[in-house]
Amino acid sequence: MSDLFAPLTLAHGPAAPNRVWLAPLTNTQSHPDGTLSDEELHWLALRARGGHGLTMTCAAHVQAGGQGFPGQLGVFSDDHLPGLTRLAAAVKDAGSLASLQLHHAGNRSPRELVGQPVGASDDEQSGARAMTLDEVGQLVEDFASAAHRAERAGFDGVELHGAHGYVLAQFLSPEVNQRTDEYGGSLENRARLLFEVLAAVRARCGADFQVGIRLSPERFGLRLGEIRDVAAQVLLSDDVDYLDMSLWDVAKQPKEEAYQDRPLMDWFTDLDRGTTRLGVAGKLRTGQEAAETLERGADFVMVGRAAILHHDFPDQVRRDGGFVPVPTPVTPDHLTAEGLSPVFVEYMRNWRGFVADAS
């Protein structure tokens, strides 16, 4: 287990004290206006105190119209600064790096929250309309402004959410993105928004500010070969501190037949990564599984379920390499004791078999 708890230097800013990081997890605990609640502060600060080397927030929307779910943390207004400042300080005071994930849901924004959703292209199913070029430019600006706001609040860095079918992934997808301008067609064009946002964030923030990117290689119309090419470009960018690959399951095989000669994770661990660190997420439940994932070539792991079940999952593994989280389903009382508010516990009922039914 020693590699899990070795410090991890990053290209910008301070090193992470270990390689077990908290994944960005939707929790629906913020106020309707996007300001931080005491419940969300408690949930995240507890994970930082539990030994996570980097503690990442849930996806925080960079535009009011980019909200993806109720109770989402916001970073689109200076009204959010007081809460974000409290949060960054609490996480860093616990000895963890503090990262804010930047997000826009695109065509996945619910109408009841945003009115008219927008995305890469018109989408009949969601009713979203295609962003105009001016709106694409404003989106780049708003990602950069949000990153600068996070820096002003005291966060060590931000992560750009380019995964899971949200707006940056919508532009990357050849199925979703039907644009005929400079943001559509070729992979270079479809990846243009991602790299414009990256460049704008890096230009707006200080030299020691950390920038990560989250990508997913499957689902939502994405193609593994293309995401591998984008990942290769990200990894060799001097602008990126870490690439966080959300794989759904680190042990799974690719869905596309042409790539099934090796596990999905292996299509990324063999890439030249320069000074950029590579992390993975996906059904990592035990310390042993996390350690084996590092042995397979990852620089760090992102844990979600295990960190929900045990706020101090890293510290538990540090003390006992054979530590295994409690089996699911767990009682609401267990989750409450682990720092989840009633609204978060209710949200977790959406995860099949995670929360026990009332007896």
Side-chain angles (χ1 to χ4, degrees):
M1 296 294 157
S2 59
D3 287 349
L4 281 177
F5 297 101
L8 183 65
T9 58
L10 298 168
H12 304 84
N18 64 52
R19 284 107 184 292
V20 185
W21 296 6
L22 180 69
L25 293 162
T26 301
N27 59 75
T28 68
Q29 294 182 114
S30 286
H31 296 302
D33 62 357
T35 54
L36 181 79
S37 68
D38 289 342
E39 290 80 6
E40 189 154 13
L41 174 65
H42 175 63
W43 140 258
L44 286 167
L46 197 59
R47 268 73 202 162
R49 295 198 297 272
H52 293 87
L54 180 146
T55 301
M56 192 172 294
T57 68
C58 69
H61 52 310
V62 302
Q63 290 181 345
Q67 186 174 358
F69 48 88
Q72 184 174 5
L73 187 64
V75 65
F76 57 85
S77 166
D78 282 355
D79 291 342
H80 300 129
L81 269 173
L84 294 174
T85 301
R86 290 173 62 211
L87 177 56
V91 169
K92 292 166 68 174
D93 286 349
S96 176
L97 294 185
S99 182
L100 183 74
Q101 191 186 59
L102 304 184
H103 169 260
H104 187 293
N107 67 22
R108 299 189 68 191
S109 292
R111 277 186 171 276
E112 61 269 23
L113 292 180
V114 305
Q116 174 62 60
V118 295
S121 299
D122 293 339
D123 180 68
E124 183 177 350
Q125 182 175 359
S126 66
R129 64 164 178 80
M131 289 183 174
T132 66
L133 282 175
D134 285 346
E135 287 172 330
V136 174
Q138 187 62 53
L139 182 61
V140 173
E141 166 62 25
D142 289 342
F143 265 102
S145 294
H148 186 222
R149 197 167 283 119
E151 184 179 36
R152 289 161 58 199
F155 282 88
D156 294 297
V158 293
E159 178 179 81
L160 310 181
H161 196 339
H164 302 171
Y166 295 117
V167 79
L168 297 178
Q170 289 163 28
F171 274 80
L172 284 170
S173 167
E175 293 182 18
V176 177
N177 184 346
Q178 298 298 309
R179 302 178 73 97
T180 57
D181 57 18
E182 60 265 42
Y183 292 96
S186 67
L187 177 60
E188 180 183 5
N189 282 358
R190 286 182 279 115
R192 189 181 307 279
L193 176 60
L194 174 68
F195 288 104
E196 285 184 352
V197 168
L198 172 61
V201 167
R202 191 45 89 191
R204 190 70 56 88
C205 299
D208 289 336
F209 195 65
Q210 296 166 350
V211 181
I213 292 179
R214 170 165 266 208
L215 296 175
S216 51
E218 296 183 329
R219 300 172 60 179
F220 303 105
L222 298 172
R223 295 177 180 167
L224 175 53
E226 289 191 342
I227 299 302
R228 175 179 159 88
D229 289 345
V230 172
Q233 187 175 347
V234 167
L235 287 168
L236 292 180
S237 170
D238 292 335
D239 290 335
V240 180
D241 291 272
Y242 54 89
L243 173 61
D244 163 19
M245 292 301 307
S246 183
L247 303 178
W248 315 108
D249 183 342
V250 297
K252 80 182 295 291
Q253 293 296 116
K255 287 188 173 183
E256 296 178 53
E257 288 187 14
Y259 296 92
Q260 289 179 351
D261 59 316
R262 51 180 163 149
L264 183 60
M265 175 179 157
D266 293 4
W267 287 100
F268 299 93
T269 53
D270 70 341
L271 293 172
D272 184 356
R273 60 193 75 166
T275 60
T276 305
R277 303 302 190 177
L278 176 66
V280 295
K283 293 188 177 178
L284 287 164
R285 288 196 68 254
T286 69
Q288 186 62 43
E289 291 170 353
E292 290 170 355
T293 301
L294 294 193
E295 291 173 2
R296 290 177 56 200
D299 294 310
F300 64 92
V301 296
M302 304 290 284
V303 292
R305 290 171 183 262
I308 295 173
L309 293 170
H310 299 279
H311 74 276
D312 58 349
F313 173 74
D315 283 349
Q316 294 271 15
V317 173
R318 189 195 301 266
R319 290 191 293 266
D320 175 9
F323 175 73
V324 175
V326 295
T328 52
V330 293
T331 65
D333 286 346
H334 173 87
L335 294 175
T336 299
E338 290 296 331
L340 281 69
S341 71
V343 69
F344 192 0
V345 172
E346 193 60 31
Y347 174 78
M348 292 308 302
R349 292 188 184 278
N350 295 319
W351 291 26
R352 183 179 300 175
F354 198 88
V355 182
D357 292 331
S359 56

